[in-house]
Amino acid sequence: MATIHLTLAPLLLLLLVAGITAQRAAPAPGPAGPINITAILEKGGQFVTLIRLLNTTQIGSQINIQINSSTEGMTIFAPTDNAFQNLKPGTLNKLSSDDQVKLILYHVSPKFYTLDDLLSVSNPVRTQASGRDRGTVYGLNFTGQGNQVNVSTGMIETRVSTALRPERPLAVYVVDMVLLPEEMFGERKIVPVPAPSPQAKSPDVSDDVDSTRKAAAPTRPTSERSGSGEMKVGLGFGLGLVMLCLKFLI
Ligand SMILES: *[C@@H]1O[C@H](CO)[C@@H](O)[C@H](O)[C@H]1NC(C)=O
Ligand SMILES: *[C@@H]1O[C@H](CO)[C@@H](O)[C@H](O)[C@H]1NC(C)=O
Ligand SMILES: *[C@@H]1O[C@H](CO)[C@@H](O)[C@H](O)[C@H]1NC(C)=O
Ligand SMILES: *[C@@H]1O[C@H](CO)[C@@H](O)[C@H](O)[C@H]1NC(C)=O
Ligand SMILES: *[C@@H]1O[C@H](CO)[C@@H](O)[C@H](O)[C@H]1NC(C)=O
């Protein structure tokens, strides 16, 4: 009896101590907590514009949801506030809300990449904007030299710098320039100017988007979208959201 007691005592003590440390340790690292892209960017301290755009386009919350169910993970290239300020004045405001959505989706790749992965990845790399318009790539090219990785859109080239978050399943890298897709800003795709002409991009837009437009604005002829600026923006944002929801449902 006495021997059993003696051998059990240290074991029990060990279990007790292990239990306490486990309990203490559990909440501290907390890698299992839900991923919140807004919170990650807020910690970075220089992403107010991006956070606003992720919010207005609702892409931020879609990322939080999608990252949860994704096996591939995701990579986000986060332009700083400085990067947005260095755009030509009015660049963002001139974009339709659908194009704002595409611009932001262009900064998101549906796969997790380490910096090492990016050094050797095969170009072009798909983004979340890929395949939104027929016949467009919306890809990113990565080139490396030593440890330095550059990203190119065909319009601009910039360094991929600090990782705000390097861990699977979501990598977030800082970029000092807004990644402007050639499909939207290149010579052949001139930024649409509000004018009484029918939308030049209509043929590119897929059928489901077209039917969304009709469904979302049954009482308004589509030509009215090029009418008052304010109405266009309001309506556009609504449509953008509907299209985004559809996209994720399909
Ligand atoms: C994500 O973080 C932001 C900022 O910290 C917070 O306002 C928001 O409620 C969070 N979202 C979720 C889904 O927890
Ligand atoms: C996000 O957008 C909602 C409205 O869509 C707004 O109420 C909220 O203040 C915005 N949050 C941020 C952080 O911009
Ligand atoms: C992520 O998944 C977990 C369980 O799988 C769930 O509890 C959590 O609410 C999900 N988070 C989001 C943002 O969908
Ligand atoms: C990426 O590189 C390929 C060739 O490797 C080129 O054809 C393509 O235009 C480039 N795209 C961008 C976005 O730079
Ligand atoms: C990466 O881009 C920066 C900025 O455009 C440029 O100065 C540098 O030469 C590029 N590096 C490589 C390896 O292409």
Side-chain angles (χ1 to χ4, degrees), residues 79-236:
T80 58
D81 289 331
N82 235 341
F84 281 103
Q85 267 158 30
N86 288 338
L87 288 175
K88 260 195 287 176
T91 303
L92 277 186
N93 292 338
K94 272 184 213 150
L95 294 179
S96 69
S97 53
D98 186 39
D99 278 348
Q100 287 196 1
V101 166
K102 272 186 275 189
L103 177 66
I104 298 306
L105 290 178
Y106 188 58
H107 290 72
V108 182
S109 176
K111 195 171 187 311
F112 172 86
Y113 295 104
T114 64
L115 276 179
D116 271 353
D117 292 340
L118 292 176
L119 278 170
S120 57
V121 77
S122 71
N123 289 325
V125 167
R126 274 178 66 82
T127 68
Q128 292 286 75
S130 301
R132 278 180 71 89
D133 296 341
R134 271 186 208 129
T136 56
V137 181
Y138 283 102
L140 293 170
N141 279 0
F142 293 88
T143 50
Q145 212 169 47
N147 284 334
Q148 183 57 55
V149 181
N150 272 13
V151 59
S152 158
T153 70
M155 295 291 298
I156 61 103
E157 176 173 11
T158 189
R159 284 169 195 235
V160 177
S161 63
T162 335
L164 281 181
R165 188 185 197 280
E167 304 96 9
R168 237 169 236 289
L170 176 68
V172 183
Y173 299 108
V174 178
V175 285
D176 290 330
M177 290 176 87
V178 177
L179 306 180
L180 301 176
E182 210 168 11
E183 285 83 348
M184 282 167 59
F185 296 93
E187 284 186 352
R188 281 182 301 155
K189 195 85 179 186
I190 289 152
V191 178
V193 179
S197 67
Q199 289 154 300
K201 66 186 172 101
S202 271
D204 284 348
V205 176
S206 61
D207 294 335
D208 55 337
V209 169
D210 241 344
S211 56
T212 311
R213 257 194 203 136
K214 280 171 200 146
T219 56
R220 279 171 228 240
T222 34
S223 61
E224 209 174 317
R225 290 187 76 227
S226 47
S228 123
E230 256 177 58
M231 176 180 282
K232 191 181 166 193
V233 168
L235 194 62

Side-chain angles (χ1 to χ4, degrees), residues 2-51:
T3 44
I4 288 168
H5 186 80
L6 273 176
T7 46
L8 276 182
L11 192 75
L12 281 174
L13 201 75
L14 206 83
L15 284 174
L16 205 77
V17 169
I20 288 166
T21 13
Q23 249 183 352
R24 270 212 202 126
I35 288 177
N36 181 340
I37 182 61
T38 310
I40 293 166
L41 292 171
E42 268 180 3
K43 262 191 222 155
Q46 47 175 346
F47 302 96
V48 174
T49 311
L50 181 59
I51 289 170

